[in-house]
Amino acid sequence: MLKVENVKKAFGPTTVLDGVNLTINPGEVVSILGSSGSGKSTLIRCINGLEKLNGGSITVDDFDVGKPKELAEARKRSATVFQLFNLYPHMTVLGNVTLAPVEVLKKPRAEAEATARALLQSVGLGDRADAYPAQLSGGQRQRVGICRALAMQPRYLLLDEVTSALDPEMTAEVLAILAKLAAEGTTMLFVTHEIEFARQISNRIVFLDKGKLLVDLPTADFFAAEGGMTNPRIAQFLSKMRKD
Amino acid sequence: MRFSDFTPFDIWLLLQGLGVSLGLFLSTSLIGLLIGTSWAVCRFYRVPVLTPVITFIAELLKNSPVLVQLFLVFFGLPGLLHIRITPTTAAMITLSANSAAFVYVIAVSAIESIGRDQIEAARVFGLTRWQVLRHVVAPQAMAFAIGPLTALLVNQLQVTSLISVIGVVDLTKIGNILNLRTLKPFIVWTVVGLLYYLCAKLLAWLGARFENRLRAHAAWRGLICSK
């Protein structure tokens, strides 16, 4: 279970997260919606330990992200896919995917490479294992990013606006893979602006606004007229997003 | 044969001087590389107290003339600490420290040229700071630094000529002696200059080759358009 309890985060005078509570059970797909600057990405960065909390706590399978001794164990249980891919440019695709399994999980290189090749195959990049990130398209790079995360066999997959830097065609490539993962029962925390897609794959939708978690509802309820739509802020957000 | 002739034997003398210059250059550069790099690693780990001290020392070293530093070590230290310092030791200390300061500056900017995003990604996947340094930062920083480092080394080679002033018998000192004997400054200093030139060229060529290898190995287009 991934537990976010009363998390507060501020950058200087700016409050970014203001008492956020969230629980994700194994097997769930939870989407976080909200406008830019609402704190979605910061929440992900808090969960994977990139930001220090100003209050509250985050535990991943009972390992406290805020405690230096438990952070390493917590990080082994989750894996992040980044908005701008954040691949290592000096390593091949295979090198990118195998680095952490070999160095952190201490897997034998041959085994890590076999796993990596199988993963790359499954996202349609079986023939690009020896390419460098700069030789790939954005969509291909993000698929590598997903493989790099999956190679850690994470219990929780954290996806931080993974399609925001991609054009519609490449977005479709990446979303198809995520849909497959969701269908296979991968636990995902999915920060996104792809509302329709979030609706298709999520068990629950969470809406963040100005650092506060406005609602946390099952997907059907969130989009129902008598559910999330009763909240004026959410109704406004959804109507604006759908016009685009 | 008159004493004022410039003879083939004089070339041999100059080559011996060159040996001294190169020996000091290579050893002080190596020490400078080791010290400068370890200072930069200290900074990467953000070691408290040590990091500002290192930055301060590096600033002092790189913003004052090497000749002044050399005089300070050679004439100043013996009086202050009541020890004897030979010209060679003084040259070793000064040139090593000076190289270290410039290597530090290059290494720091090379490390800082690596995008934060990659380092964060590696940290999130559980790599320790050391593993991040070794697998993500160092290989890219090396390819970044090799050009400026080559330029620095070429410069340090020329800077060694300053040590002749405190009496180290290097290439320049021998040139000076030959000049006084032969009274043929144009010939002597041309030969001396050529010898430095050839060594510097060789060094630059080696650096360029090494750089090509580093970049070809990792298809370094990746450095320019990582996003």
Side-chain angles (χ1 to χ4, degrees):
Chain A
M1 197 158 48
L2 196 157
K3 236 179 177 163
V4 176
E5 282 174 300
N6 197 27
V7 161
K8 293 192 171 80
K9 175 71 195 171
F11 295 107
T14 319
T15 302
V16 183
L17 295 175
D18 192 5
V20 173
N21 289 290
L22 183 64
T23 302
I24 295 157
N25 297 303
E28 275 186 320
V29 176
V30 177
S31 289
I32 306 184
L33 302 182
S35 52
S36 298
S38 58
K40 307 183 299 292
S41 290
T42 305
L43 181 59
I44 294 272
R45 290 174 63 85
C46 287
I47 294 173
N48 60 27
L50 283 175
E51 303 287 352
K52 280 206 176 86
L53 306 183
N54 297 120
S57 71
I58 295 174
T59 55
V60 182
D61 288 346
D62 294 329
F63 290 99
D64 191 334
V65 174
K67 292 184 180 150
K69 281 185 186 160
E70 296 179 26
L71 177 59
E73 205 50 50
R75 276 179 165 163
K76 272 189 207 166
R77 277 145 207 278
S78 70
T80 310
V81 183
F82 298 87
Q83 180 176 1
L84 296 172
F85 330 131
N86 299 15
L87 300 178
Y88 318 121
H90 62 302
M91 290 183 174
T92 61
V93 165
L94 197 64
N96 267 277
V97 180
T98 54
L99 178 65
V102 169
E103 294 297 324
V104 179
L105 303 182
K106 308 293 176 199
K107 277 195 184 174
R109 181 164 296 278
E111 187 191 327
E113 285 187 359
T115 313
R117 283 184 196 281
L119 281 170
L120 290 168
Q121 195 75 47
S122 74
V123 301
L125 290 175
D127 55 339
R128 303 311 306 269
D130 298 317
Y132 287 95
Q135 298 165 326
L136 303 179
S137 73
Q140 289 175 325
R141 284 184 220 179
Q142 194 56 293
R143 284 187 269 162
V144 174
I146 292 171
C147 288
R148 179 173 67 168
L150 292 177
M152 292 301 282
Q153 294 164 317
R155 318 246 324 217
Y156 306 94
L157 192 59
L158 310 176
L159 301 142
D160 185 7
E161 297 195 33
V162 293
T163 59
S164 297
L166 302 176
D167 69 29
E169 193 180 2
M170 293 180 183
T171 298
E173 285 174 13
V174 170
L175 293 184
I177 291 161
L178 296 183
K180 198 170 107 193
L181 288 174
E184 287 165 7
T186 312
T187 313
M188 291 197 261
L189 182 57
F190 186 48
V191 169
T192 187
H193 288 299
E194 301 288 335
I195 294 180
E196 272 317 305
F197 182 72
R199 184 179 192 164
Q200 289 162 31
I201 67 162
S202 313
N203 304 99
R204 273 157 56 208
I205 306 264
V206 165
F207 190 87
L208 267 180
D209 185 46
K210 292 176 191 147
K212 283 197 163 67
L213 203 149
L214 286 192
V215 296
D216 179 351
L217 291 170
T219 306
D221 294 351
F222 181 85
F223 288 100
E226 64 277 16
M229 295 296 262
T230 55
N231 186 312
R233 177 72 190 90
I234 295 171
Q236 181 197 17
F237 176 81
L238 289 180
S239 70
K240 283 235 172 91
M241 293 298 279
R242 282 183 176 158
K243 247 179 237 161
D244 293 339
Chain B
M1 192 172 70
R2 293 170 49 206
F3 69 92
S4 62
D5 282 344
F6 188 79
T7 65
F9 183 71
D10 294 334
I11 301 264
W12 173 241
L13 285 179
L14 285 173
L15 285 179
Q16 284 182 333
L18 181 65
V20 172
S21 292
L22 285 182
L24 269 168
F25 162 71
L26 289 176
S27 50
T28 57
S29 295
L30 193 67
I31 296 171
L33 276 171
L34 289 175
I35 296 178
T37 314
S38 48
W39 283 355
V41 171
C42 269
R43 192 187 160 109
F44 178 74
Y45 276 92
R46 296 197 206 102
V47 181
V49 189
L50 206 53
T51 306
V53 170
I54 287 169
T55 311
F56 179 70
I57 295 175
E59 281 294 310
L60 276 186
L61 287 171
K62 92 189 153 72
N63 291 311
S64 60
V66 184
L67 194 56
V68 173
Q69 294 169 18
L70 196 61
F71 286 161
L72 196 63
V73 171
F74 186 58
F75 298 115
L77 276 193
L80 186 71
L81 303 174
H82 301 290
I83 46 167
R84 283 186 46 148
I85 290 184
T86 65
T88 312
T89 313
M92 284 288 289
I93 294 173
T94 312
L95 293 179
S96 301
N98 196 260
S99 300
F102 284 100
V103 168
Y104 170 71
V105 174
I106 292 172
V108 164
S109 59
I111 288 175
E112 279 170 5
S113 76
I114 313 304
R116 258 193 87 71
D117 51 353
Q118 297 172 43
I119 297 176
E120 284 186 346
R123 293 288 284 159
V124 162
F125 282 106
L127 272 75
T128 62
R129 264 193 111 66
W130 170 247
Q131 288 170 326
V132 172
L133 184 66
R134 200 178 136 209
H135 297 285
V136 179
V137 175
Q140 298 185 70
M142 270 229 310
F144 180 93
I146 187 77
L149 273 181
T150 308
L152 172 69
L153 291 182
V154 167
N155 188 55
Q156 291 301 100
L157 175 66
Q158 332 280 349
V159 165
T160 58
S161 65
L162 290 176
I163 62 180
S164 63
V165 176
I166 57 166
V168 178
V169 189
D170 71 335
L171 177 56
T172 303
K173 184 74 181 175
I174 298 222
N176 211 358
I177 294 167
L178 289 181
N179 180 40
L180 291 175
R181 198 200 74 204
T182 61
L183 299 173
K184 291 189 173 66
F186 191 77
I187 294 178
V188 172
W189 292 122
T190 302
V191 175
V192 170
L194 267 179
L195 286 174
Y196 277 118
Y197 173 83
L198 290 176
C199 292
K201 266 302 199 196
L202 179 70
L203 203 59
W205 179 76
L206 285 174
R209 256 188 68 136
F210 192 47
E211 183 172 13
N212 279 341
R213 235 181 53 190
L214 271 182
R215 289 180 187 242
H217 168 70
W220 275 95
R221 274 155 306 195
L223 192 70
I224 302 149
C225 45
S226 65
K227 277 174 190 169

